[in-house]
Amino acid sequence: MCEPIKNRYEFVILFDVENGNPNGDPDAGNMPRIDPETGLGLVTDVCLKRKIRNYVETVKEDTEGYRIYIKEKVPLNRSDNEAYAALNVTEKTIKDKKKSDENLDIKIRDWMCSKFYDIRTFGAVMTTFVKANLNCGQVRGPVQLSFAQSVEPIVPQEVTITRVAITTEADAESKNNTMGRKYIIPYGLYRCEGYVSANLARKTTGFSEEDLELLWEAILNMFEHDHAAARGKMAVRELIVFKHDSELGCAPAWKLFDTVHVTRTQTDTDTPARSYADYTVTVDEAALPSGVTCQRMG
């Protein structure tokens, strides 16, 4: 495996949606997630991680060391079993193996990290065989994301649609079409903040420089192979990366995030924003602490 990263990072993702639903809330009829107190839109970290996983799976196609652990219609147990098979461990022999090898749990964890990119990156709970004492442990990943939040309040719109697809023969006799609805946001710019821990990469998962470069690539392109009518037009507009010159970092993350300012370009802020050009993004690099550098991608 490659050497783990040696520098701590923080990053800010700016992405937007036009005439789409970036992350529906199943508890609210799939309406776009929203903070009821502020009216700001929300996109969960789980949603964004899913898109990063999907991109890596698309470009790597299960290349050795870049498989995805959490994927659709693939039981976690199937992947966990691979680790036990590789280390010649079974349900019947696990207890005796642990007595003779006190590092067995670490070996199982390291095998999973070496094979699955998303475990190396985000971590995973792999205790799917607790009753049988067959589990691959829990891994805290070095890369963590916050919920994304819109820069300004959003106004979800309910759009009524008609469909001509008839489900049953009885429906075909009684009606020609049916009514439906979908939720959209005319426009919204979202901001997500993230963290990369070199300390956890070294101690736990082995997250490497190659993995980091793939992460940046996946973030910048996470919507490019994920287009759907329901999500409208979504795009990552900019990725702002702060790099520390040490493993543990040189400044609190919040100080770095506070240097990123997103403001309206036009003076008339009563007019709703309808494009990324309606905003100006600046980074106060003069305020960055010593030992921290900034790179803007997008």
Side-chain angles (χ1 to χ4, degrees), residues 43-82:
V43 174
T44 66
D45 60 317
V46 175
C47 174
L48 298 176
K49 287 177 181 178
R50 177 75 270 154
K51 299 186 188 309
I52 293 172
R53 285 185 172 100
N54 289 347
Y55 178 83
V56 172
E57 185 176 14
T58 297
V59 298
K60 291 298 185 179
E61 296 185 340
D62 285 338
T63 301
E64 181 71 16
Y66 290 94
R67 295 168 58 193
I68 297 300
Y69 179 64
I70 300 177
K71 58 195 300 185
E72 187 177 2
K73 298 181 180 179
V74 177
L76 301 182
N77 290 355
R78 186 182 302 171
S79 301
D80 295 340
N81 273 326
E82 291 183 35

Side-chain angles (χ1 to χ4, degrees), residues 202-247:
R202 175 176 60 83
K203 289 182 176 179
T204 308
T205 73
F207 185 77
S208 67
E209 292 290 343
E210 289 78 4
D211 293 332
L212 184 68
E213 290 303 314
L214 180 57
L215 175 67
W216 300 147
E217 178 187 330
I219 289 174
L220 288 168
N221 295 282
M222 62 182 171
F223 300 120
E224 295 307 307
H225 304 286
D226 190 61
H227 294 295
R231 286 189 285 276
K233 179 182 176 183
M234 295 188 68
V236 173
R237 295 294 185 165
E238 188 166 4
L239 171 62
I240 302 169
V241 178
F242 298 100
K243 179 180 180 180
H244 300 254
D245 65 4
S246 66
E247 179 182 290

Side-chain angles (χ1 to χ4, degrees), residues 25 31-43 147-150 153-154 156 190:
D25 185 350
M31 185 181 77
R33 296 181 189 272
I34 192 170
D35 181 342
E37 293 183 325
T38 64
L40 296 176
L42 300 173
V43 174
F147 274 33
Q149 183 173 274
S150 65
I154 61 170
Y190 287 75

Side-chain angles (χ1 to χ4, degrees), residues 67-69 79 111-120:
R67 295 168 58 193
I68 297 300
Y69 179 64
S79 301
W111 191 93
M112 295 294 287
C113 288
S114 69
K115 300 299 180 182
F116 296 95
Y117 177 81
D118 55 337
I119 297 178
R120 246 182 358 262

Side-chain angles (χ1 to χ4, degrees), residues 124-198:
V125 177
M126 300 174 287
T127 52
T128 58
F129 280 125
V130 176
K131 290 184 179 180
N133 291 320
L134 284 171
N135 70 78
C136 297
Q138 299 183 31
V139 175
R140 182 181 172 196
V143 179
Q144 301 298 329
L145 300 176
S146 67
F147 274 33
Q149 183 173 274
S150 65
V151 174
E152 293 184 301
I154 61 170
V155 182
Q157 296 183 8
E158 185 180 49
V159 180
T160 303
I161 59 174
T162 60
R163 68 186 182 101
V164 297
I166 304 301
T167 306
T168 65
E169 291 293 338
D171 287 343
E173 295 176 1
S174 63
K175 54 190 175 182
N176 293 323
N177 56 42
T178 57
M179 307 299 291
R181 61 177 59 87
K182 64 191 301 185
Y183 289 103
I184 66 166
I185 299 170
Y187 183 79
L189 177 63
Y190 287 75
R191 170 175 172 157
C192 173
E193 297 170 349
Y195 315 82
V196 184
S197 169

Side-chain angles (χ1 to χ4, degrees), residues 96-108:
D96 291 336
K97 290 270 188 178
K98 285 186 176 181
K99 289 179 182 178
S100 61
D101 185 354
E102 61 182 14
N103 294 320
L104 182 60
D105 287 337
I106 295 177
K107 291 178 181 178
I108 295 172

